[in-house]
């Protein structure tokens, strides 16, 4: 079968289509014939060697990809609730023995796959699992109550957009940052207040929440620059594991989505949210899998709104 991966870490040019032995579903696992795999910043990190310390138990090729959608074609022993022929979306963990989602055939624990939301194509469904799970984990860590204010940086991105929509679903007042061209989009997603993005966005959030916000999702990875926006004793959800000390009793929650890949309950909640129109799957563009390098170059260039998706 074909995978798209790297045998040497480096730039997008290192991504290649490679033939590898076909995997099979073991106990508790399903095998998915992948139709679509989303392209995320973490994929670029693996390609460049940022996860090499967690890949020491693997032999190359190293295969990126944390989101997939396709059709189950093999079910292992002891699996209940999943069936051959079922269309599913799944989260993969590239540092695990089953590797990542840039593959024709993906084997994952059955807990990591749920039905494709009704009304979504396989391409759209492939954008939901990892970013959606990241957002739910971040919101749960912040533990805000209805009526509280949530601030979101990088709000026009995939996690940022989901944070707006799922935050509003929890009854939160949502402050979001954006470039002028994205203001209309964020308002449509449900942001209560949209401010200009930039390194001084913390002050603009403070102008809207003079005492500081009790919770903030830092999807733009501003780290210490965003701390002034947060109230004393507030919480920050960091998506890139910021190790700083914010002071003022502020807690930093480092969101580790791979450790929660087994959360079928959350994945199924994302399915229901998409079916109800609470969550909007946004696809920026699609690329054939053998053009993965081009997709990574476009991701690096910035400015995409929604996810790039590889098709198999």
């Amino acid at each position: 079968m074909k995978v798209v991966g790297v045998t040497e870490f480096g730039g997008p040019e290192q991504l290649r289509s490679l033939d590898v032995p076909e995997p099979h579903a073991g106990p508790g696992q399903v095998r998915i014939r992948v139709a679509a795999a989303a392209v995320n910043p973490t994929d670029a990190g693996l390609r460049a060697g940022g996860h090499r310390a967690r890949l020491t138990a693997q032999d190359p090729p190293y295969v990126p990809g944390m989101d997939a959608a396709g059709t189950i074609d093999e079910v292992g022993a002891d699996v209940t609730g999943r069936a051959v022929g079922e269309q599913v979306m799944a989260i993969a963990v590239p540092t695990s023995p089953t590797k990542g989602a840039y593959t024709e055939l993906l084997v994952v624990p059955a807990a990591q796959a749920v039905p494709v939301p009704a009304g979504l194509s396989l391409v759209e469904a492939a954008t939901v699992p990892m970013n959606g799970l990241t957002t739910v984990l971040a919101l749960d860590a912040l533990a805000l109550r209805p009526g509280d204010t949530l601030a979101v940086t990088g709000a026009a991105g995939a996690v940022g957009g989901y944070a707006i929509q799922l935050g509003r679903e929890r009854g939160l007042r949502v402050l979001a940052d954006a470039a002028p061209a994205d203001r209309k989009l964020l308002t449509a997603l449900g942001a209560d207040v949209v401010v200009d993005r930039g390194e001084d966005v913390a002050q603009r959030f403070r102008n809207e929440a003079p005492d500081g916000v009790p919770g903030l999702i830092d999807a733009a990875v501003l780290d210490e620059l965003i701390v002034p926006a947060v109230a004393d004793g507030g919480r920050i959800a960091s998506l890139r594991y910021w190790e700083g000390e914010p002071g003022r009793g502020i807690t930093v929650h480092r969101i580790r989505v791979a450790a929660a890949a087994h959360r079928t309950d959350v994945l199924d909640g994302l399915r229901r949210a998409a079916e109800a129109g609470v969550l909007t799957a946004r696809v920026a563009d699609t690329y054939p899998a053998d053009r993965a390098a081009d997709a990574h170059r476009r991701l690096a260039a910035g400015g995409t709104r929604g996810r790039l998706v590889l098709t198999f």
Side-chain angles (χ1 to χ4, degrees):
M1 70 162 188
K2 180 175 75 176
V3 301
V4 176
V6 298
T7 55
E8 295 183 13
F9 299 118
E13 71 282 354
Q14 295 296 339
L15 286 166
R16 291 179 170 81
S17 293
L18 302 162
D19 288 321
V20 301
E22 181 178 309
H24 293 280
Q29 297 177 326
V30 296
R31 189 176 75 174
I32 302 165
R33 185 165 294 277
V34 174
V39 177
N40 291 285
T42 188
D43 305 351
L46 184 142
R47 182 211 73 224
H51 302 290
R52 71 177 72 220
R54 290 182 285 163
L55 293 168
T56 54
Q58 284 190 21
D59 293 322
Y62 306 112
V63 181
M66 294 193 70
D67 290 300
T71 304
I72 293 176
D73 74 349
E74 195 172 273
V75 174
D78 303 321
V79 172
T80 59
R82 299 276 75 86
V84 170
E86 184 178 17
Q87 291 192 332
V88 294
M89 60 183 186
I91 184 166
V93 180
T95 54
S96 73
T98 52
K99 302 190 177 183
Y102 291 10
T103 177
E104 289 182 321
L105 295 171
L106 173 66
V107 172
V108 294
Q112 294 173 205
V114 298
V116 167
L120 264 61
S121 68
L122 290 172
V123 168
E124 290 169 328
T127 69
V128 173
M130 194 275 285
N131 291 290
L133 179 57
T134 299
T135 304
V136 172
L137 293 175
L139 288 169
D140 287 350
L142 297 180
L144 300 176
R145 297 170 295 185
D148 284 347
T149 296
L150 166 72
V152 181
T153 70
V159 169
Y162 287 169
I164 292 170
Q165 293 185 303
L166 295 177
R168 284 299 304 273
E169 178 70 6
R170 295 186 183 207
L172 306 178
R173 174 182 180 241
V174 181
L175 312 182
D177 70 344
D182 292 322
R183 281 179 168 269
K184 186 175 180 180
L185 167 65
L186 299 197
T187 299
L189 291 174
D192 293 282
V193 177
V194 181
V195 304
D196 289 340
R197 69 178 185 179
E199 291 189 351
D200 54 352
V201 69
Q203 183 56 54
R204 287 190 281 276
F205 282 147
R206 272 279 180 169
N207 293 341
E208 302 295 336
D211 295 328
V213 297
L216 183 142
I217 296 177
D218 186 21
V221 198
L222 295 177
D223 298 337
E224 67 275 359
L225 295 176
I226 202 61
V227 171
V230 181
D232 294 357
R235 300 180 177 91
I236 298 172
S238 171
L239 308 188
R240 299 285 180 89
Y241 317 148
W242 180 48
E243 298 293 343
E245 294 295 336
R248 295 190 289 115
I250 296 170
T251 303
V252 177
H253 296 272
R254 299 167 184 90
I255 307 304
R256 303 181 187 277
V257 67
H262 63 285
R263 291 286 304 274
T264 313
D265 58 327
V266 177
L267 294 174
D268 205 51
L270 293 168
R271 175 190 62 80
R272 294 192 300 272
E275 290 180 344
V278 171
L279 204 63
T280 304
R282 292 184 289 143
V283 177
D285 205 350
T286 60
Y287 288 79
D290 58 8
R291 289 185 56 204
D294 291 336
H296 275 230
R297 290 186 187 99
R298 183 165 170 189
L299 180 69
T304 57
R305 295 296 173 255
R307 280 286 171 243
L308 303 171
V309 179
L310 303 180
T311 56
F312 287 82

